[in-house]
Amino acid sequence: MASTPAVEPPQLKNMRLMEDFRARLLLAFVVGGLCVLAFAPFSQGWIAPLSLALLFFLWQQASAFRAFLLGWAWGLGLMGFGVFWLHNSIAQFGGLNLSLAVFITLLFAAFLALFPGVAGWLANRFVTGRSLRLLLAYPACWVLVEWMRSWLLTGFPWLSIGYSQIDSAHAGYAPLLGVYGVSLATALASGALVLWRTPWILLLPVVGLTGLGLKQIQWSLPAGAPFQASLVQASIPQERKWLPSQLRPTLEFYVSETEKLVHSRLTVWPETAVPAFADKVEKTFLQPLHERLKKQRRDLLLGIPVLEEDGRYFNSMLALGGSGRGRYDKRHLVPFGEFMPFAALLQPLVRMLAIPMSSFSAGETNKPPTLKLAGYTAGISICYEDAFPAETVQALPQAAFLVNASNDAWFGNSLAPYQHLQMARMRALENGRYLLRATNTGISAIIDERGELLKVLGWGQRGAITETVRPMTGSTPWMRGGNWSVLLLLVMMLVTAYFRSPGGAPSRP
């Protein structure tokens, strides 16, 4: 007589399933953490599609709620390791002890991790069908929440997957659809990887080869005579930058380096290179320097805070020299660093985070962010403004080249300066323009219209770099369509996935 198979008690089965899910959560966290290696300075871009593919695989058999938890665990790994450098500025310049700074940083990472979680929940809640999810819902939801993260609560677009692909074939999509188009190509490749046993795996080489082909297209053309440009990096530690005793040696260094660059038509100093309000040094420093450069037919762009008569002050870039005086005021301020959101509500935090110069006013947004430099129109951005592609493009197509001045000394020699440079490279590639990136402590770089690094002055180095810059003209498809092109594509993908879901029934919550 045949024996009856043992039936697993429901309680044991539930415990086993729970242990299995906990293992999946841990796996998602580890894989998300490893994805940091896809970004600079490690630049192992091939890790990103593999990491996403494993997350998509884990999402497949999960309910909508468990897909959210898996996405959150993956995001916690990426953000927990990827933006951990924030604790340095919070502790050192916010006046908090290290343990509290780490706690705040991890809390911020946990918030950012919600976005991948939302992507998993949306896709699994409203779309059924394995191929529909992997090739339409997962990629579209992923890029949609990346885009949302770039503007929600002033935005934090750091570590969008597209940036990790700046040196891969997928970068070819940047002039066409921007960084979110690159993210979409990467997510599509990830979905195809999970379907490796089906004909859909052919999508993997199709996406890659198409991107490679797009990289061969010259999206912009020379707009005039090339000129020499230089970037000066003083490498002054942030804790010394604003000391009164540091002002004179700082100015002497910048001026002496600039005087050596006699063949440079344009010299750029970084954000707040002059650590004093403009009115305090106008007669003794700025005006004499302007007159001297004007006679030499050279231009200088320098960072300096500007105090207005009404008491407002701005984080500004001043243009001096042959092309005339000009000024750009930073528009997109850093929350908790340059301004305090909901200041009345968060007044205790205002007092606790005693960050100097933390009440800047935002510049006007009713005119293009451009200045006349070296005889051409240049698009200007300050600090992490270049992390927002829709803001950089406001200077185009008029701008013949781009300039970003930054001060990443706040974050020390961490991952931050390398990640920031990677984003600057993407801006150059998207818009088909050279980009000059001048920083206080590094990494300063001159980037060509294909996003390639021509000259680099590394972290902590002191001196200047010079390179020939080619002014460019023309509009890339990204310039004309902006984020709307890729958003329209995402909507089409999601609508198709929803209405073609088997039975039209979404999965259980």
Side-chain angles (χ1 to χ4, degrees):
M1 184 174 180
S3 60
T4 303
V7 178
E8 185 178 18
Q11 291 180 336
L12 290 178
K13 182 179 180 180
N14 289 339
M15 288 178 61
R16 181 177 56 80
L17 292 175
M18 183 57 69
E19 289 177 357
D20 177 67
F21 181 65
R22 288 172 180 168
R24 288 170 176 252
L25 282 175
L26 179 60
L27 178 60
F29 173 77
V30 171
V31 170
L34 289 174
C35 195
V36 174
L37 300 176
F39 296 88
F42 313 104
S43 301
Q44 301 300 308
W46 57 273
I47 292 178
L50 292 178
S51 179
L52 270 189
L54 187 50
L55 177 62
F56 290 175
F57 175 79
L58 293 173
W59 275 351
Q60 283 186 98
Q61 303 302 320
S63 66
F65 178 67
R66 288 196 167 189
F68 168 80
L69 293 178
L70 288 165
W72 182 81
W74 188 97
L76 190 60
L78 175 68
M79 295 300 174
F81 291 105
V83 300
F84 189 69
W85 41 264
L86 277 170
H87 83 279
N88 182 72
S89 57
I90 296 174
Q92 188 171 359
F93 306 109
L96 302 184
N97 63 63
L98 183 60
S99 59
L100 184 56
V102 169
F103 173 76
I104 292 174
T105 301
L106 293 179
L107 196 64
F108 181 60
F111 167 73
L112 296 176
L114 293 174
F115 288 89
V118 169
W121 183 87
L122 283 173
N124 278 21
R125 179 68 180 85
F126 295 105
V127 177
T128 58
R130 186 167 183 248
S131 297
L132 288 173
R133 282 180 172 175
L134 288 167
L135 300 178
L136 293 176
Y138 290 164
C141 286
W142 185 271
V143 178
L144 183 64
V145 299
E146 275 197 348
W147 170 74
M148 290 176 60
R149 182 161 61 85
S150 75
W151 55 264
L152 191 65
L153 299 177
T154 77
F156 190 79
W158 229 265
L159 297 183
S160 293
I161 285 294
Y163 291 117
S164 70
Q165 303 300 297
I166 187 65
D167 293 311
S168 79
H170 294 165
Y173 293 93
L176 194 66
L177 295 170
V179 67
Y180 300 115
V182 180
S183 289
L184 181 59
T186 308
L188 282 170
S190 299
L193 276 171
V194 183
L195 293 168
W196 66 278
R197 291 185 176 180
T198 74
W200 287 113
I201 189 62
L202 295 176
L203 187 62
L204 186 63
V206 168
V207 170
L209 290 173
T210 302
L212 197 60
L214 290 170
K215 290 186 78 169
Q216 312 311 310
I217 299 176
Q218 182 69 36
W219 297 100
S220 56
L221 299 171
F227 63 91
Q228 281 198 325
S230 298
L231 313 177
V232 180
Q233 182 171 298
S235 196
I236 300 169
Q238 187 64 28
E239 61 270 20
R240 292 189 52 81
K241 184 178 176 71
W242 295 95
L243 295 177
S245 59
Q246 186 64 45
L247 176 60
R248 184 179 182 87
T250 294
L251 298 183
E252 288 177 347
F253 173 80
Y254 278 117
V255 171
S256 65
E257 286 295 317
T258 301
E259 288 178 345
K260 299 174 187 176
L261 306 169
V262 292
H263 299 297
S264 289
R265 181 70 177 83
L266 169 65
T267 301
V268 183
W269 298 357
E271 177 188 14
T272 57
V274 180
F277 282 116
D279 61 303
K280 300 297 183 182
V281 293
E282 171 63 33
K283 294 182 180 180
T284 60
F285 182 71
L286 294 177
Q287 188 58 34
L289 184 59
H290 169 64
E291 296 297 335
R292 186 159 70 250
L293 291 167
K294 188 176 179 181
K295 291 179 182 178
Q296 299 171 356
R297 298 184 179 181
R298 300 168 58 195
D299 288 336
L300 171 66
L301 181 67
L302 60 87
I304 189 171
V306 175
L307 178 65
E308 298 285 12
E309 293 182 357
D310 59 7
R312 295 180 303 157
Y313 54 90
F314 299 86
N315 187 353
S316 305
M317 297 298 294
L318 293 185
L320 308 175
S323 294
R325 294 194 64 157
R327 171 178 153 191
Y328 168 76
D329 299 327
K330 187 179 181 182
R331 305 172 173 189
H332 196 139
L333 302 177
V334 180
F336 303 103
E338 292 174 315
F339 82 104
M340 183 61 64
F342 314 110
L345 181 64
L346 300 177
Q347 194 60 39
L349 188 60
V350 174
R351 290 191 295 266
M352 184 171 61
L353 295 176
I355 301 175
M357 309 286 288
S358 57
S359 298
F360 281 103
S361 297
E364 297 180 6
T365 58
N366 57 358
K367 58 183 180 180
T370 58
L371 291 173
K372 200 75 171 182
L373 297 171
Y376 298 96
T377 300
I380 311 298
S381 62
I382 299 176
C383 192
Y384 90 147
E385 283 185 320
D386 69 338
F388 300 89
E391 296 180 14
T392 301
V393 80
Q394 292 173 10
L396 297 154
Q398 294 84 1
F401 62 97
L402 303 171
V403 179
N404 173 253
S406 190
N407 179 24
D408 292 336
W410 292 100
F411 312 113
N413 188 15
S414 64
L415 302 182
Y418 302 90
Q419 294 169 352
H420 198 174
L421 176 60
Q422 198 170 46
M423 289 189 283
R425 293 178 61 193
M426 187 64 73
R427 296 293 86 80
L429 177 60
E430 285 172 340
N431 299 296
R433 298 293 191 273
Y434 277 64
L435 190 148
L436 313 179
R437 184 168 188 269
T439 69
N440 177 30
T441 53
I443 305 166
S444 299
I446 298 176
I447 307 165
D448 72 10
E449 81 281 10
R450 292 182 177 272
E452 299 294 334
L453 296 170
L454 300 180
K455 285 284 180 68
V456 175
L457 198 55
W459 173 265
Q461 295 182 1
R462 190 172 168 92
I465 52 174
T466 301
E467 185 56 77
T468 299
V469 172
R470 296 172 61 191
M472 308 297 288
T473 188
S475 297
T476 64
W478 149 252
M479 275 191 216
R480 294 190 291 269
N483 285 330
W484 291 110
S485 297
V486 71
L487 288 175
L488 179 61
L489 183 56
L490 298 180
V491 170
M492 292 171 60
M493 292 171 67
L494 290 172
V495 169
T496 301
Y498 179 77
F499 285 104
R500 289 185 66 87
S501 291
S507 69
R508 66 189 188 281

